[in-house]
């Protein structure tokens, strides 16, 4: 059977009034969900179920029905369906959801029959696009839907749910409304410049603009933490060759991703993976980077791997410095001196003694005392072979990373780079406004600040940009 083709992804397709359909769940499970939205959706459901009129049934309730081919009595599946009338649906349009059995062949047959009715396949994120277009969701809420789907830890889920509830949108809308109010007052101030009205005077307006600037700069600053919540905390594995970095890396992942060998220097590049660590009370996502040891390179490829190791250490949020207690401790000290010669990174470093199944606790304690000059305050002991110490290491890493992912109740964190850039641009506009000598210049800078905030607020965003945003969503959402 030929695969179903998708229409061309352009902004014009997103702006169409077509009836669209897509599978909103992966196939292969017990149940699959097909979603249909648009003017033909109710007529389509009547044609498939032979129930006429569908509106005689109560909306937003599940009903059982046999789906049949539109032009024959051949049965497609025994299903459940629900329908939603505009505007009381996710998209704000008439919308149908059909729960079918989850086999790939059944899904394909049902979708083929739907497309014969003049319904087209939905573009990625087109259902959410229509929800925004019809005022059911703000742009930030729609993007929160995408972030909720991709969330890989508790903090990311909590943050996405708060965005979806409108918490972030209300804060942003408050800033936007205040800037609009200031712009209106500044226009009045221009018109009545000769009457010296205090409420519309430049000093009073600048005080209000200063409050907006502080809120916007806090938002921009929050991106550093928000990106770590959403995308993960960058963690680099460091240590002398054959210290057990790759074994510990694989133990955390639960699979053999890095090459493990008794031959020193088998990792010649930075190996990257994303991992969610789950502890007793929280979870975090790590972007793990297993690096090459910093021995003297004998091959150009290995030399490049070592340079990448140093860059990974510089860019990492968390350094995991691994030490084999049976190794040459002078080599360990030399390694750390190459990584952090000025002791700038000790606060972001967690020491890990590997191969604890081969040494006793007293010997590890003695080695730790001998390495006190490294300045690393926190150490854990693990064995990648037996798994000993891995739960304790996980909890220590979680506690170590709490500084980046802890969030006060209701605190807004930006998670998208383009939103951070929008906040920074608006901040620069307001800074210019605060030093403006003339109220006309002040008003112009305020209008520019509002324009700069558009990607955050979701107002006056060009159609092609909207299309690009939603093209990154899942099909069927």
């Amino acid at each position: 059977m030929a695969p179903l083709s998708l229409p061309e992804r352009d902004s014009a397709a997103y702006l169409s009034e077509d009836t669209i359909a897509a599978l909103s769940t992966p196939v292969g499970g017990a149940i699959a969900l097909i979603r249909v939205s648009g003017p033909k959706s109710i007529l389509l459901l009547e044609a498939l179920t032979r129930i006429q009129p569908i509106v005689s049934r109560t909306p937003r309730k599940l009903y059982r029905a046999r789906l049949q081919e539109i032009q024959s009595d051949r049965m497609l599946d025994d299903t459940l369906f629900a329908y939603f009338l505009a505007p009381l649906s996710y998209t704000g349009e008439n919308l149908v959801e059909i729960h079918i059995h989850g086999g790939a062949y059944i899904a394909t047959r049902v979708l083929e029959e739907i497309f014969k009715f003049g319904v087209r396949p939905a573009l990625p994120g087109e259902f959410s696009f229509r929800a925004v277009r019809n005022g059911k969701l703000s742009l930030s809420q729609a993007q929160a839907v995408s972030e909720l789907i991709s969330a890989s830890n508790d903090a990311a889920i909590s943050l996405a749910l708060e965005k979806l509830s409108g918490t972030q949108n209300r804060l942003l809308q408050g800033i936007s409304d205040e800037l609009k109010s200031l712009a209106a007052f500044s226009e009045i101030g221009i018109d009545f410049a000769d009457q010296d009205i205090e409420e519309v005077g430049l000093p009073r307006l600048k005080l209000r603009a200063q409050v907006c600037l502080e809120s916007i700069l806090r938002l921009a600053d929050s991106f550093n933490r928000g990106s770590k919540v959403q995308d993960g905390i960058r963690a680099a594995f460091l240590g002398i060759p054959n210290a057990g970095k790759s074994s510990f890396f694989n133990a955390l992942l639960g699979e053999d991703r890095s090459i493990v060998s008794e031959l020193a220097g088998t990792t010649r590049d930075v190996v990257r993976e994303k991992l969610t660590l789950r502890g007793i009370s929280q979870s975090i996502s790590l972007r793990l980077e297993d690096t090459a040891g910093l021995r003297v390179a004998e091959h150009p490829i290995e030399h490049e791997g070592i340079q990448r190791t140093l860059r990974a250490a510089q860019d990492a949020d968390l350094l995991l410095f691994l030490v084999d207690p049976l190794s040459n401790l002078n080599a360990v000290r030399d390694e750390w001196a190459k990584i952090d010669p000025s002791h700038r990174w000790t606060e972001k470093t967690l020491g890990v003694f590997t191969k604890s199944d081969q040494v006793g606790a007293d010997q590890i304690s003695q080695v730790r005392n001998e390495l006190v000059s490294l300045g690393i305050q926190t150490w854990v002991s693990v064995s990648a072979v037996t798994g000993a110490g891995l739960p304790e290491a996980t909890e220590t890493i979680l506690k170590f990373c709490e500084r980046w992912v802890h969030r006060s109740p209701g605190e807004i964190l930006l998670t998208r780079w383009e939103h951070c850039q929008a906040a920074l641009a608006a901040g620069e506009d307001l800074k210019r406004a605060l030093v403006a000598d003339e109220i006309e210049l002040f008003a112009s800078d305020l209008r520019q600040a509002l324009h700069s905030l558009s990607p955050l607020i979701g107002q006056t965003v060009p159609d092609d940009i909207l299309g690009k945003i939603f093209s990154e969503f899942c099909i069927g959402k």
Side-chain angles (χ1 to χ4, degrees), residues 201-247:
L202 197 52
R204 175 71 65 89
L205 296 180
K206 283 186 176 182
L207 287 175
R208 292 172 58 185
Q210 178 67 39
V211 175
C212 291
L213 174 61
E214 291 169 359
S215 297
I216 288 172
L217 292 181
R218 279 196 299 271
L219 277 175
D221 288 342
S222 74
F223 174 71
N224 183 45
R225 288 168 52 219
S227 62
K228 291 178 176 58
V229 169
Q230 185 69 30
D231 300 325
I233 295 165
R234 183 179 293 181
F237 287 62
L238 304 169
I240 65 173
N242 218 22
K245 298 187 296 298
S246 297
S247 296

Side-chain angles (χ1 to χ4, degrees), residues 192-468:
F192 296 93
D194 59 340
Q195 298 188 25
D196 196 23
I197 303 174
E198 184 178 356
E199 287 77 4
V200 295
L202 197 52
R204 175 71 65 89
L205 296 180
K206 283 186 176 182
L207 287 175
R208 292 172 58 185
Q210 178 67 39
V211 175
C212 291
L213 174 61
E214 291 169 359
S215 297
I216 288 172
L217 292 181
R218 279 196 299 271
L219 277 175
D221 288 342
S222 74
F223 174 71
N224 183 45
R225 288 168 52 219
S227 62
K228 291 178 176 58
V229 169
Q230 185 69 30
D231 300 325
I233 295 165
R234 183 179 293 181
F237 287 62
L238 304 169
I240 65 173
N242 218 22
K245 298 187 296 298
S246 297
S247 296
F248 183 54
F249 183 88
N250 292 338
L252 285 178
L253 284 173
E255 61 181 76
D256 291 339
R257 179 62 179 86
S258 289
I259 300 171
V260 178
S261 169
E262 293 301 319
L263 178 64
T266 51
T267 301
R268 291 193 172 187
D269 199 352
V270 177
V271 181
R272 295 179 173 88
E273 288 286 351
K274 187 173 181 179
L275 165 72
T276 297
L277 285 184
R278 303 189 185 280
I280 297 173
S281 59
Q282 64 173 325
S283 62
I284 61 167
S285 296
L286 295 177
R287 287 180 288 164
L288 305 180
E289 298 184 350
D290 183 14
T291 65
L294 300 183
R295 67 176 187 169
V296 177
E298 299 177 356
H299 191 282
I301 294 177
E302 189 173 2
H303 175 76
E304 175 60 24
I306 290 172
Q307 294 305 308
R308 293 185 183 187
T309 293
L310 291 173
R311 290 196 294 270
Q314 179 177 345
D315 296 339
D317 305 306
L318 168 66
L319 299 182
L320 294 165
F321 186 61
L322 279 75
V323 176
D324 176 359
L326 298 176
S327 63
N328 183 329
L329 297 188
N330 286 328
V332 172
R333 295 187 190 95
D334 290 343
E335 178 88 357
W336 184 249
K338 297 174 187 174
I339 295 170
D340 189 19
S342 57
H343 290 262
R344 294 177 300 157
W345 298 338
T346 53
E347 289 187 359
K348 69 174 185 179
T349 303
L350 173 64
V352 181
F353 289 118
T354 60
K355 308 178 184 180
S356 64
D357 56 303
Q358 300 179 22
V359 294
D362 290 343
Q363 188 173 356
I364 289 177
S365 178
Q366 180 181 346
V367 171
R368 179 174 178 175
N369 290 334
E370 292 186 38
L371 295 178
V372 69
S373 62
L374 303 185
I376 301 173
Q377 300 299 312
T378 306
W379 291 84
V380 295
S381 301
V382 299
S383 169
V385 175
T386 66
L390 282 175
E392 293 78 8
T394 296
E395 288 296 332
T396 302
I397 293 172
L398 287 168
K399 186 176 180 181
F400 208 78
C401 295
E402 190 172 313
R403 72 187 85 170
W404 293 297
V405 300
H406 175 73
R407 190 166 59 93
S408 302
E411 182 184 6
I412 300 298
L413 301 181
L414 297 185
T415 56
R416 293 175 176 265
W417 180 84
E418 63 269 22
H419 289 175
C420 176
Q421 296 304 302
L424 289 172
E428 291 302 313
D429 298 329
L430 287 178
K431 287 178 183 177
R432 287 198 308 273
L434 290 175
V435 297
D437 295 327
E438 303 293 337
I439 196 167
E440 292 85 356
L441 296 175
F442 177 82
S444 175
D445 290 329
L446 284 179
R447 289 191 293 270
Q448 183 58 46
L450 277 166
H451 178 75
S452 297
L453 280 178
S454 291
L456 262 172
I457 302 169
Q459 299 175 349
T460 65
V461 179
D463 294 337
D464 58 335
I465 300 298
L466 282 175
K468 181 180 184 302

